[in-house]
Amino acid sequence: MKEKLERNKILPLWLALTPLVLLMALLVFTVRAFGDESLGGPSQIVMLAASSVCCMIGIWVGKVRWHVFENQIAKSISQVSSAMIILLFIGALGGAWMVSGVVPMLIYYGLDIIHPSVFLVSTCVISAVVSVMTGSSWTTIATIGVALMGIGKAQGFEEGWIAGAIISGAYFGDKISPLSDTTVLASSVCRVNLFAHIRYMMITTIPSFLITLLVFLVAGFSHTAVDNGHLAICQEAIAGRFNISVWLVLVPVATAVMIAKRLPALVTMFASTLLGVVFALMFQADVLATLDDGDLFRGAMRVVYGSTSIQTSNPMLNQLVATRGMEGMLPTVWLILCAMCFGATMTAGGMTAGITRLFASFARGRTSTVASTVTTGLVLNNTVADQYMGILLSCNVFREIYDKNGLEPRLLSRATEDSVTVTSVLVPWNTCGMAQSSVLGVATFTYLPYCFFNIISPLMSIVVAAIGYKIKRVENK
């Protein structure tokens, strides 16, 4: 009982915000000092430094015992352990699909099919459809997203625009798919029927997505098309290095079937990676032979665990088809571990509770309650650095407030998804932000301004609440 009282001790707001402000300030200096190398170690040190400040405040001011911090850290890391394994398999999957020729094949035919004028809007729609079917923004971005990234670069689009279109579509699909773990989590924690939750989210999600598509459509038609000769050169370079065959499409088709069968993500990714390696041996033996002095077995292993550099006749294409395997995901895994330490110490030290109680105190009417929920979700994405924790905390903090104010539970579940789920990818030290930045090879702050769906969704949630559309009062329990 005493331990519970210690953890529930309310800290002054300025003290609760101190670690977060320190973290943001140190990250700004770190990024300016190290640039692209900041994720290779400096940012991890900053995370641990901020975590130590949380511990000191919690122990000295909050009177929290050390073992409470240890237990919370262990609990937080255990909650993302599967995500870290999935990240490693994403690295392996990316390497296998690239060297096997699957991604080059998709790029090769995609340059013929997708016209530059409608590339951005097509990319957003394709990512959305795949994400709805898979229920996973991570899987969508790691597979079709990587191929779309290559097509966009070949057509002369800036990487921020391409990544923004991919992420906008992927998170739209993730948000409304009944197969999505975040959608299931938000509805279950708020005690709302899953499909009732999805139907209610459509009220804010569809307008946000339509506005996003309009922006990408206008941007696409404003884009100066790359000379067709350049696209032909890219296709020639791909065909000159890889054996482009329609049989390669069997790999993504088999992956789609496994996803449709609802096989576990780890099983699907392992099988898909294995298929990629087999097809690499069948169709790209000459490419594998160049990776490790002609040894096909060593080359196949390197594709999965290590980095590869494949030389083509096009310098830009060389960068695109280079892979990092599992090894390339290790800095991200390392960063996630440190981010979880920070989130855990913020929670155990009472800082997170102090911040969320501030926003809860503003929840008076319908609009202010939704606005407080959205703001809390954004803050939690920055503090606990994980969307699952953000969803759990938001729903638990506001459940009684919504009940007291006579607001439906599905309004809480929608506001939580409108804020936590879609904005997690916009935070560089959040698990989603780190994962998608690593997979696409684009810095979070580079793609952030172009993730229109992710930016519009929280605002749309507040706007709809202010209008009061389809918001019913319920009996105060």
Side-chain angles (χ1 to χ4, degrees):
M1 178 64 71
K2 184 178 180 181
E3 178 184 318
K4 183 176 180 181
L5 291 174
E6 289 172 349
R7 286 194 287 178
N8 290 338
K9 182 179 178 64
I10 301 177
L11 296 175
L13 181 61
W14 68 269
L15 199 55
L17 288 171
T18 298
L20 183 60
V21 173
L22 175 65
L23 172 66
M24 292 182 174
L26 288 176
L27 283 174
V28 170
F29 284 113
T30 300
V31 172
R32 291 185 62 181
F34 291 92
D36 294 339
E37 299 177 359
S38 59
L39 293 180
S43 295
Q44 287 86 333
I45 295 174
V46 167
M47 287 283 182
L48 294 178
S51 301
S52 66
V53 172
C54 290
C55 292
M56 287 188 287
I57 293 175
I59 292 172
W60 293 342
V61 180
K63 306 301 181 184
V64 180
R65 295 180 180 179
W66 174 249
H67 72 87
V68 175
F69 288 101
E70 287 185 325
N71 292 339
Q72 187 63 47
I73 290 172
K75 180 181 177 182
S76 296
I77 291 176
S78 68
Q79 290 172 335
V80 297
S81 58
S82 61
M84 290 188 288
I85 301 298
I86 288 174
L87 264 180
L88 293 177
F89 270 107
I90 285 175
L93 179 69
W97 276 34
M98 185 66 75
V99 178
S100 66
V102 172
V103 173
M105 179 267 299
L106 293 173
I107 295 173
Y108 183 87
Y109 291 117
L111 290 174
D112 281 332
I113 297 171
I114 304 177
H115 191 275
S117 297
V118 294
F119 169 75
L120 290 176
V121 69
S122 298
T123 293
C124 193
V125 171
I126 292 170
S127 299
V129 171
V130 174
S131 191
V132 168
M133 293 189 300
T134 62
S136 171
S137 56
W138 286 35
T139 302
T140 301
I141 293 170
T143 51
I144 194 66
V146 174
L148 291 169
M149 197 78 194
I151 296 171
K153 286 184 177 180
Q155 293 183 343
F157 286 93
E158 294 180 9
E159 59 183 15
W161 276 100
I162 308 168
I166 295 169
I167 290 171
S168 292
Y171 275 80
F172 164 81
D174 189 326
K175 185 181 174 188
I176 66 168
S177 173
L179 304 178
S180 169
D181 49 4
T182 54
T183 303
V184 173
L185 178 64
S187 60
S188 60
V189 174
C190 294
R191 300 165 189 170
V192 179
N193 176 270
L194 175 61
F195 290 99
H197 167 64
I198 292 174
R199 286 194 298 270
Y200 203 58
M201 279 200 298
M202 294 293 187
I203 297 172
T204 56
T205 303
I206 296 299
S208 300
F209 193 60
L210 291 176
I211 294 171
T212 299
L213 292 179
L214 180 61
V215 173
F216 284 130
L217 186 62
V218 172
F221 279 103
S222 303
H223 172 69
T224 303
V226 175
D227 180 61
N228 287 334
H230 174 73
L231 300 182
I233 291 173
C234 288
Q235 287 181 310
E236 184 180 345
I238 293 172
R241 192 69 191 91
F242 296 93
N243 178 17
I244 301 300
S245 170
V246 292
W247 291 106
L248 292 169
V249 79
L250 290 175
V251 178
V253 168
T255 304
V257 171
M258 287 186 284
I259 291 170
K261 294 291 185 180
R262 299 192 182 185
L263 294 179
L266 287 175
V267 174
T268 301
M269 288 190 171
F270 174 78
S272 186
T273 301
L274 186 59
L275 272 176
V277 172
V278 171
F279 273 66
L281 290 167
M282 293 170 57
F283 291 92
Q284 317 296 342
D286 55 335
V287 177
L288 283 176
T290 63
L291 299 181
D292 214 314
D293 299 327
D295 191 321
L296 292 181
F297 176 75
R298 288 171 59 90
M301 291 290 287
R302 183 176 296 280
V303 165
V304 175
Y305 78 82
S307 58
T308 63
S309 179
I310 302 172
Q311 297 302 312
T312 70
S313 59
N314 189 315
M316 186 202 75
L317 193 61
N318 292 346
Q319 297 180 359
L320 180 62
V321 298
T323 67
R324 297 177 297 166
M326 287 185 173
E327 183 181 65
M329 291 295 159
L330 290 179
T332 305
V333 171
W334 181 15
L335 192 59
I336 288 175
L337 287 172
C338 296
M340 288 300 97
C341 287
F342 175 71
T345 53
M346 283 283 289
T347 301
M351 275 66 80
T352 300
I355 295 172
T356 52
R357 282 193 178 93
L358 167 69
F359 296 114
S361 65
F362 293 104
R364 304 294 183 186
R366 179 187 65 232
T367 305
S368 62
T369 301
V370 172
S372 297
T373 307
V374 169
T375 306
T376 301
L378 296 175
V379 171
L380 289 172
N381 266 337
N382 281 273
T383 53
V384 299
D386 180 71
Q387 63 177 346
Y388 301 106
M389 290 293 293
I391 290 171
L392 287 168
L393 290 171
S394 289
C395 292
N396 287 328
V397 166
F398 282 94
R399 187 188 297 134
E400 291 184 8
I401 296 173
Y402 275 69
D403 188 42
K404 179 180 178 181
N405 292 343
L407 298 172
E408 295 180 275
R410 62 178 183 169
L411 181 61
L412 171 59
S413 63
R414 184 179 74 185
T416 301
E417 285 241 71
D418 283 340
S419 56
V420 179
T421 300
V422 299
T423 62
S424 58
V425 72
L426 306 180
V427 181
W429 53 87
N430 191 287
T431 52
C432 291
M434 290 182 283
Q436 311 315 348
S437 176
S438 298
V439 171
L440 295 176
V442 182
T444 308
F445 287 132
T446 300
Y447 66 64
L448 189 154
Y450 307 103
C451 296
F452 299 108
F453 175 75
N454 307 70
I455 295 171
I456 295 171
S457 288
L459 301 176
M460 186 63 68
S461 191
I462 298 173
V463 169
V464 172
I467 296 172
Y469 181 70
K470 293 287 185 179
I471 298 178
K472 300 177 182 177
R473 287 282 177 175
V474 295
E475 184 181 351
N476 192 326
K477 297 179 183 179

